[in-house]
Amino acid sequence: MELLKQRIRKDGTVKGNDVLKVDSFLNHQMDVALFEEIGKEFLRRFDGCGVNKILTIEASGIGIACVTAQFFHCPVIFAKKSKTKNIAGEVYTTKVRSFTHGNVSDVIVSTRFLGPGDKVLIIDDFLANGAALEGLIDLVSQSGAELAGAGIVIEKAFQPGGDRLRAKGIRVESLARIKSMSEETGVEFMD
Ligand code: 5GP
Protein backbone atom coordinates (compact mmCIF):
# COMPACT_ATOMS: atom_id res chain seq x y z
CA MET A 1 0.00 0.00 0.00
CA GLU A 2 1.89 2.98 -1.36
CA LEU A 3 0.36 5.65 0.91
CA LEU A 4 1.38 3.67 3.99
CA LYS A 5 4.90 3.03 2.72
CA GLN A 6 5.36 6.75 2.00
CA ARG A 7 4.21 7.56 5.52
CA ILE A 8 6.60 5.03 7.06
CA ARG A 9 9.47 6.51 5.03
CA LYS A 10 8.54 10.02 6.12
CA ASP A 11 7.64 9.55 9.79
CA GLY A 12 8.94 6.13 10.89
CA THR A 13 12.15 5.87 12.88
CA VAL A 14 14.29 2.78 13.27
CA LYS A 15 15.60 1.87 16.75
CA GLY A 16 18.45 -0.62 16.85
CA ASN A 17 18.02 -3.04 13.96
CA ASP A 18 14.60 -4.46 14.62
CA VAL A 19 12.20 -1.90 16.10
CA LEU A 20 10.30 0.57 13.96
CA LYS A 21 8.71 3.45 15.84
CA VAL A 22 5.57 4.79 14.23
CA ASP A 23 4.24 6.67 17.24
CA SER A 24 3.26 9.77 15.31
CA PHE A 25 0.61 8.07 13.16
CA LEU A 26 -0.06 4.48 14.31
CA ASN A 27 0.93 3.55 17.86
CA HIS A 28 0.42 6.63 20.00
CA GLN A 29 -0.96 9.54 18.00
CA MET A 30 -3.29 7.94 15.42
CA ASP A 31 -3.95 9.27 11.93
CA VAL A 32 -7.57 8.21 11.53
CA ALA A 33 -7.73 9.29 7.87
CA LEU A 34 -4.84 6.90 7.17
CA PHE A 35 -6.60 4.19 9.22
CA GLU A 36 -9.61 4.66 6.94
CA GLU A 37 -7.48 3.95 3.87
CA ILE A 38 -6.01 0.93 5.67
CA GLY A 39 -9.52 -0.33 6.49
CA LYS A 40 -10.60 0.04 2.85
CA GLU A 41 -7.54 -1.89 1.71
CA PHE A 42 -8.27 -4.73 4.16
CA LEU A 43 -11.84 -4.83 2.83
CA ARG A 44 -10.56 -4.95 -0.75
CA ARG A 45 -8.38 -7.95 0.16
CA PHE A 46 -10.89 -9.85 2.32
CA ASP A 47 -14.18 -8.84 0.68
CA GLY A 48 -16.49 -11.78 0.04
CA CYS A 49 -14.84 -13.97 2.69
CA GLY A 50 -17.90 -13.84 4.95
CA VAL A 51 -16.11 -12.10 7.84
CA ASN A 52 -18.50 -11.41 10.73
CA LYS A 53 -16.01 -10.71 13.56
CA ILE A 54 -12.73 -8.84 13.74
CA LEU A 55 -10.28 -9.95 16.42
CA THR A 56 -7.27 -7.98 17.63
CA ILE A 57 -5.11 -7.74 20.75
CA GLU A 58 -4.84 -4.82 23.12
CA ALA A 59 -3.66 -2.19 22.92
CA SER A 60 -2.27 -0.95 19.65
CA GLY A 61 -4.41 -3.10 17.34
CA ILE A 62 -7.68 -1.71 18.66
CA GLY A 63 -7.85 1.59 16.77
CA ILE A 64 -7.03 0.02 13.40
CA ALA A 65 -9.45 -2.85 14.02
CA CYS A 66 -12.30 -0.46 14.89
CA VAL A 67 -11.88 1.68 11.80
CA THR A 68 -11.56 -1.46 9.65
CA ALA A 69 -14.73 -2.93 11.19
CA GLN A 70 -16.76 0.00 9.89
CA PHE A 71 -16.06 -1.26 6.37
CA PHE A 72 -16.90 -4.87 7.24
CA HIS A 73 -19.99 -3.83 9.27
CA CYS A 74 -19.09 -6.20 12.08
CA PRO A 75 -18.05 -6.03 15.75
CA VAL A 76 -14.47 -5.95 17.04
CA ILE A 77 -13.26 -8.17 19.86
CA PHE A 78 -9.95 -7.33 21.46
CA ALA A 79 -8.12 -10.08 23.29
CA LYS A 80 -7.34 -8.85 26.80
CA LYS A 81 -4.10 -9.27 28.63
CA SER A 82 -5.47 -10.56 31.89
CA LYS A 83 -4.52 -11.85 35.30
CA THR A 84 -7.96 -13.39 35.85
CA LYS A 85 -7.93 -17.18 36.03
CA ASN A 86 -10.21 -19.22 33.80
CA ILE A 87 -11.95 -21.02 36.67
CA ALA A 88 -15.42 -21.48 35.21
CA GLY A 89 -14.28 -22.00 31.63
CA GLU A 90 -15.95 -18.80 30.48
CA VAL A 91 -12.92 -17.59 28.56
CA TYR A 92 -10.59 -18.93 25.90
CA THR A 93 -7.04 -18.34 27.05
CA THR A 94 -3.57 -18.47 25.58
CA LYS A 95 -0.10 -17.09 26.33
CA VAL A 96 1.68 -14.45 24.25
CA ARG A 97 5.26 -13.24 24.57
CA SER A 98 5.44 -9.51 23.92
CA PHE A 99 7.94 -8.51 21.24
CA THR A 100 8.37 -5.03 22.71
CA HIS A 101 8.47 -5.89 26.43
CA GLY A 102 9.72 -9.49 26.40
CA ASN A 103 7.24 -10.62 29.09
CA VAL A 104 4.62 -13.37 28.69
CA SER A 105 0.94 -12.47 29.26
CA ASP A 106 -2.18 -14.56 29.57
CA VAL A 107 -4.50 -13.36 26.85
CA ILE A 108 -8.23 -14.03 27.00
CA VAL A 109 -11.45 -13.72 25.01
CA SER A 110 -14.87 -14.36 26.51
CA THR A 111 -16.67 -17.42 25.16
CA ARG A 112 -19.73 -15.14 24.79
CA PHE A 113 -18.20 -13.31 21.86
CA LEU A 114 -16.58 -16.00 19.70
CA GLY A 115 -17.78 -19.47 18.76
CA PRO A 116 -18.62 -21.96 16.01
CA GLY A 117 -20.31 -20.23 13.09
CA ASP A 118 -18.12 -17.11 13.35
CA LYS A 119 -15.75 -16.18 10.54
CA VAL A 120 -12.88 -14.19 11.93
CA LEU A 121 -10.48 -11.66 10.47
CA ILE A 122 -7.51 -10.97 12.75
CA ILE A 123 -6.10 -7.44 12.54
CA ASP A 124 -2.85 -6.22 14.11
CA ASP A 125 -0.40 -3.36 13.71
CA PHE A 126 2.86 -5.33 13.41
CA LEU A 127 3.99 -8.84 12.56
CA ALA A 128 7.48 -9.71 13.77
CA ASN A 129 8.16 -13.15 15.29
CA GLY A 130 4.50 -14.09 15.04
CA ALA A 131 3.76 -14.66 18.74
CA ALA A 132 0.82 -12.24 18.91
CA LEU A 133 -0.74 -13.65 15.75
CA GLU A 134 -0.21 -17.26 16.83
CA GLY A 135 -1.89 -16.49 20.17
CA LEU A 136 -4.90 -14.97 18.41
CA ILE A 137 -5.11 -17.93 16.00
CA ASP A 138 -5.05 -20.28 19.02
CA LEU A 139 -8.01 -18.39 20.55
CA VAL A 140 -9.95 -18.67 17.27
CA SER A 141 -9.29 -22.40 17.05
CA GLN A 142 -10.31 -22.99 20.70
CA SER A 143 -13.60 -21.23 19.95
CA GLY A 144 -14.43 -23.43 16.96
CA ALA A 145 -14.75 -20.33 14.76
CA GLU A 146 -13.31 -20.26 11.26
CA LEU A 147 -10.32 -18.06 10.41
CA ALA A 148 -10.55 -15.96 7.24
CA GLY A 149 -6.98 -14.73 7.65
CA ALA A 150 -4.89 -11.98 9.17
CA GLY A 151 -4.58 -8.36 8.06
CA ILE A 152 -1.34 -6.79 9.23
CA VAL A 153 -0.40 -3.14 8.79
CA ILE A 154 3.40 -3.55 8.92
CA GLU A 155 5.21 -6.87 8.52
CA LYS A 156 8.91 -6.98 9.29
CA ALA A 157 9.51 -9.68 6.70
CA PHE A 158 13.12 -10.19 7.82
CA GLN A 159 11.72 -11.68 11.04
CA PRO A 160 10.28 -15.19 10.89
CA GLY A 161 6.58 -14.83 11.85
CA GLY A 162 5.05 -14.16 8.43
CA ASP A 163 6.84 -16.98 6.61
CA ARG A 164 6.11 -19.48 9.37
CA LEU A 165 2.39 -18.71 9.46
CA ARG A 166 2.02 -18.71 5.66
CA ALA A 167 3.78 -22.09 5.59
CA LYS A 168 1.05 -23.36 7.92
CA GLY A 169 -1.57 -22.29 5.39
CA ILE A 170 -2.70 -19.11 7.16
CA ARG A 171 -3.66 -16.29 4.82
CA VAL A 172 -1.57 -13.31 5.95
CA GLU A 173 -2.08 -10.01 4.11
CA SER A 174 0.41 -7.30 5.05
CA LEU A 175 0.04 -3.76 3.71
CA ALA A 176 3.74 -2.86 4.02
CA ARG A 177 6.43 -5.56 4.08
CA ILE A 178 9.84 -4.48 5.29
CA LYS A 179 12.77 -6.34 3.77
CA SER A 180 15.43 -4.75 5.97
CA MET A 181 16.01 -1.70 8.11
CA SER A 182 18.72 0.08 10.04
CA GLU A 183 19.23 3.36 11.86
CA GLU A 184 21.70 4.45 9.19
CA THR A 185 19.85 3.54 5.99
CA GLY A 186 16.21 3.58 7.16
CA VAL A 187 13.61 1.18 5.82
CA GLU A 188 13.70 -0.93 2.64
CA PHE A 189 10.44 -2.53 1.46
CA MET A 190 10.00 -5.90 -0.26
CA ASP A 191 8.23 -4.44 -3.30
P1 5GP B 1 5.32 -10.59 17.24
O1 5GP B 1 4.40 -11.18 18.26
O2 5GP B 1 4.91 -10.88 15.82
O3 5GP B 1 6.77 -10.87 17.50
O4 5GP B 1 5.20 -9.00 17.42
C1 5GP B 1 3.99 -8.36 17.15
C2 5GP B 1 3.59 -7.41 18.24
O5 5GP B 1 4.73 -6.75 18.79
C3 5GP B 1 2.70 -6.34 17.65
O6 5GP B 1 1.41 -6.50 18.22
C4 5GP B 1 3.32 -5.03 18.05
O7 5GP B 1 2.57 -4.44 19.07
C5 5GP B 1 4.69 -5.35 18.59
N1 5GP B 1 5.80 -5.02 17.65
C6 5GP B 1 6.61 -5.91 17.02
N2 5GP B 1 7.56 -5.29 16.33
C7 5GP B 1 7.35 -3.98 16.48
C8 5GP B 1 8.03 -2.80 15.99
O8 5GP B 1 9.03 -2.85 15.26
N3 5GP B 1 7.52 -1.60 16.35
C9 5GP B 1 6.42 -1.49 17.17
N4 5GP B 1 6.00 -0.25 17.44
N5 5GP B 1 5.77 -2.57 17.66
C10 5GP B 1 6.23 -3.80 17.33
Side-chain angles (χ1 to χ4, degrees):
M1 183 181 167
E2 202 45 51
L3 184 70
L4 173 65
K5 290 196 263 188
Q6 280 170 13
R7 190 61 178 273
I8 295 169
R9 278 195 201 97
K10 183 163 139 309
D11 292 330
T13 50
V14 180
K15 299 280 174 211
N17 278 327
D18 63 356
V19 174
L20 178 67
K21 300 267 299 179
V22 284
D23 280 7
S24 66
F25 63 95
L26 190 66
N27 284 145
H28 192 13
Q29 176 169 260
M30 296 185 278
D31 182 340
V32 179
L34 176 66
F35 283 20
E36 220 173 292
E37 296 309 312
I38 287 171
K40 283 183 203 162
E41 181 61 21
F42 283 139
L43 179 64
R44 196 181 67 75
R45 296 188 189 209
F46 287 99
D47 202 12
C49 294
V51 170
N52 75 329
K53 296 272 167 76
I54 288 180
L55 175 66
T56 188
I57 184 164
E58 66 174 339
S60 48
I62 297 175
I64 302 153
C66 287
V67 175
T68 299
Q70 289 196 302
F71 296 99
F72 284 85
H73 304 290
C74 74
V76 173
I77 305 155
F78 65 93
K80 293 189 176 198
K81 293 170 186 162
S82 169
K83 292 188 174 62
T84 316
K85 289 245 161 58
N86 177 20
I87 312 160
E90 75 279 19
V91 293
Y92 310 114
T93 178
T94 193
K95 288 188 188 298
V96 172
R97 177 176 293 279
S98 160
F99 179 86
T100 34
H101 304 108
N103 58 316
V104 177
S105 309
D106 287 310
V107 173
I108 61 160
V109 162
S110 168
T111 55
R112 283 184 296 152
F113 304 130
L114 208 56
D118 284 326
K119 186 91 182 260
V120 182
L121 173 63
I122 295 174
I123 295 285
D124 205 4
D125 58 344
F126 273 90
L127 173 57
N129 292 324
L133 194 45
E134 269 167 344
L136 292 171
I137 292 167
D138 183 25
L139 295 173
V140 173
S141 80
Q142 286 177 42
S143 77
E146 198 184 330
L147 182 67
I152 302 294
V153 180
I154 303 172
E155 176 180 347
K156 291 182 292 176
F158 58 90
Q159 292 177 313
D163 285 348
R164 195 174 63 248
L165 287 157
R166 289 187 185 95
K168 286 186 187 169
I170 309 289
R171 180 174 174 199
V172 181
E173 294 280 348
S174 304
L175 305 189
R177 300 186 73 217
I178 298 174
K179 190 195 218 167
S180 63
M181 62 188 202
S182 74
E183 289 184 5
E184 295 74 35
T185 58
V187 172
E188 194 191 341
F189 294 101
M190 296 288 275
D191 38 49

